[in-house]
Amino acid sequence: MREPAFEPHDHRRCVDGALQTAESLIAARGLRLTPVRRRALEILLERHGAMGAYEVLERLAADGYGHQPPVAYRALDFLVENGLAHRIRRLNAFAACAHPGADHHAAFLICRLCNALAEIPADALRNHLLAGAEESGFAVERLSIEALGLCPNCQSPEPS
Amino acid sequence: MREPAFEPHDHRRCVDGALQTAESLIAARGLRLTPVRRRALEILLERHGAMGAYEVLERLAADGYGHQPPVAYRALDFLVENGLAHRIRRLNAFAACAHPGADHHAAFLICRLCNALAEIPADALRNHLLAGAEESGFAVERLSIEALGLCPNCQSPEPS
DNA sequence: CCTGATACGTTATACTATAACTCGTTCATC
DNA sequence: GATGAACGAGTTATAGTATAACGTATCAGG
Ligand SMILES: [Zn+2]
Ligand SMILES: [Zn+2]
Ligand SMILES: [Zn+2]
Ligand SMILES: [Zn+2]
C-alpha cells in the first residue's frame, strides 16, 4: 500500500476532501467550524506532517487571529476532539487527520529526516493490545502508537 | 497474567532485583552507575508509575545532588539509553523498566486515576506494525505504544 | 429583548527540555 | 609523576510547550 505522505500526489484533493468532510461532520454534530478553527485545520492540512502549536499560532496570528497560546491550543484541541486532527505525542505536535470521519484507529509513521507523517490503519493492532490489556484487567480508553524512522525517500543515501 | 503494577506484592524484590541487574548490566558495558544515576534509578523504582524529570530533580536535590534540570535529565537519559528506564511520552515522564536487561519491547498501560503504570510484552505487536510499515517502505527505528485507561483497582465505583 | 452557552481574546504563569560553559576526576600515555 | 583526552557533574541561561483565569463578544432559544 502506498502512503500519500511518502509519494507525490494531488494534494489539493487531500485538502479539499478533508475540509468538506470537516464541514459536514461538524455541522452534523451541531457544532461550529468557526473561522479560526477552520483556518487551523487548513494550516495543518498544508502538509502530511506534524506542526507544533506555536507554529500554528504564528500562522494564525499572521492571519489576524489572536497572538496568545490558548488561541492555537483551543482550536487544535477542538480539531482533535472531533477527529479532524491527531496529537503526536512523540513530537509534541499536531497533524491533520488523513481519514477524517472514518472512525478509524491509526498508527503513525514519522520520518525523522523529512518529517513526513503517515497514518496507517491500526485496528488489528489495537485489538491485539486490548486483548493483552484485558488479561491484566486493564480497560484501555486511549491508545497511541507512534513509530519513528525513515520514510522510503529518506532511506537512500543523499546524492550531494 | 497478573501485573505487579496493579497488585499488592513484595515490591522490595522489584527494587532489589532491578538494582542488581542495573549494576551488572552497566558494569558489563564498561560504563559507570554513578551515585546520582543510581539514586535516580532508586527514585523511579519507588513505585510502578511514571515520574516527571522535575520531580526526580527535587528528590535528587534533597539528597545533596545538583539543583538544575540537566542533573536530572542526564541521569534519566543515561538510564533510558541503557534500558533501565523508559520515557513515557504521553506523560512527559520517566519510569523504571520493569524487566531490565531482558531486551524486550514493551507497551505501557497507564491508569489515569492512580497513575499506576504496567509494562506488557509488545514483541508480537511490534512485529505486526513493522510488517505494516514495511508495506509503505517505512523503516521503523523507535516505536512507542502507550495506552491510557483504568487499572483493575480503579474501575470499581469508589465507595465514598 | 433577555438569558445562558459558546467562543475568542487577553494576561500571567506553570511545566518541560536543552544549550553552553566550567570544573574536577579518572585513566592511559609518555 | 606530568600530560592530556574523556567523562561526569555542576552551574547559568534560555528555549519550547501548555494551561489557568478572567473579560467580552456573539449567537441560539425562549
Ligand atoms: Zn496529500
Ligand atoms: Zn523522510
Ligand atoms: Zn513492584
Ligand atoms: Zn489505577
Side-chain angles (χ1 to χ4, degrees):
Chain A
M1 189 202 287
R2 309 205 130 192
E3 281 300 326
F6 303 146
E7 298 283 337
H9 64 284
D10 181 1
H11 189 55
R12 269 169 311 182
R13 303 193 64 142
C14 301
V15 175
D16 294 346
L19 286 174
Q20 283 194 359
T21 306
E23 301 267 19
S24 47
L25 205 71
I26 296 303
R29 290 183 190 160
L31 301 173
R32 286 188 290 155
L33 191 62
T34 59
V36 65
R37 289 170 176 172
R38 187 191 156 98
R39 185 73 192 110
L41 179 55
E42 285 174 4
I43 291 167
L44 289 185
L45 278 168
E46 283 173 8
R47 52 178 197 251
H48 293 280
M51 218 183 237
Y54 279 72
E55 192 179 348
V56 173
L57 176 59
E58 273 182 28
R59 302 285 310 276
L60 289 175
D63 289 350
Y65 299 102
H67 290 239
Q68 307 304 326
V71 170
Y73 279 100
R74 279 197 288 243
L76 291 168
D77 288 346
F78 174 87
L79 295 175
V80 169
E81 274 162 26
N82 287 282
L84 300 171
H86 299 286
R87 188 165 197 156
I88 312 298
R89 318 230 50 134
R90 185 175 273 277
L91 302 177
N92 290 323
F94 299 81
C97 174
H99 314 101
D103 190 26
H104 60 304
H105 294 286
F108 299 99
L109 308 180
I110 306 160
C111 179
R112 68 175 159 80
L113 286 187
C114 71
N115 298 119
L117 183 144
E119 208 178 315
I120 65 175
D123 296 274
L125 229 63
R126 181 185 173 89
N127 290 335
H128 284 202
L129 184 124
L130 259 58
E134 200 177 12
E135 283 180 33
S136 329
F138 187 90
V140 175
E141 292 170 351
R142 324 270 327 155
L143 172 62
S144 57
I145 304 175
E146 300 173 358
L148 194 69
L150 291 180
C151 78
N153 306 315
C154 294
Q155 287 175 42
S156 3
E158 285 293 300
S160 74
Chain B
M1 190 201 284
R2 309 207 130 193
E3 281 300 324
F6 304 145
E7 300 281 338
H9 63 283
D10 182 0
H11 189 57
R12 268 169 312 182
R13 304 192 63 144
C14 301
V15 175
D16 295 345
L19 286 174
Q20 283 195 0
T21 307
E23 301 267 18
S24 47
L25 205 70
I26 295 303
R29 293 185 188 159
L31 301 173
R32 285 188 292 156
L33 191 61
T34 60
V36 65
R37 289 170 175 172
R38 186 189 158 100
R39 185 73 191 112
L41 179 55
E42 286 174 4
I43 290 168
L44 289 185
L45 278 168
E46 282 173 9
R47 52 178 197 252
H48 292 280
M51 216 182 237
Y54 279 73
E55 193 178 347
V56 174
L57 176 58
E58 272 181 29
R59 301 285 310 276
L60 290 175
D63 290 350
Y65 298 102
H67 290 240
Q68 307 305 325
V71 171
Y73 279 100
R74 280 198 287 244
L76 292 168
D77 288 346
F78 173 87
L79 296 175
V80 169
E81 274 163 26
N82 288 282
L84 300 172
H86 298 287
R87 188 163 198 158
I88 312 298
R89 316 226 60 127
R90 182 156 209 119
L91 303 177
N92 289 324
F94 300 80
C97 175
H99 314 101
D103 191 25
H104 60 305
H105 294 285
F108 300 100
L109 308 179
I110 309 161
C111 179
R112 68 173 159 81
L113 286 187
C114 70
N115 299 117
L117 183 144
E119 209 177 316
I120 63 175
D123 296 272
L125 274 171
R126 181 186 172 88
N127 289 336
H128 283 201
L129 184 124
L130 260 59
E134 200 177 11
E135 285 180 31
S136 328
F138 187 89
V140 174
E141 291 171 352
R142 326 268 328 154
L143 172 62
S144 58
I145 302 176
E146 300 172 358
L148 194 69
L150 291 179
C151 78
N153 305 315
C154 294
Q155 287 173 43
S156 1
E158 286 292 299
S160 74

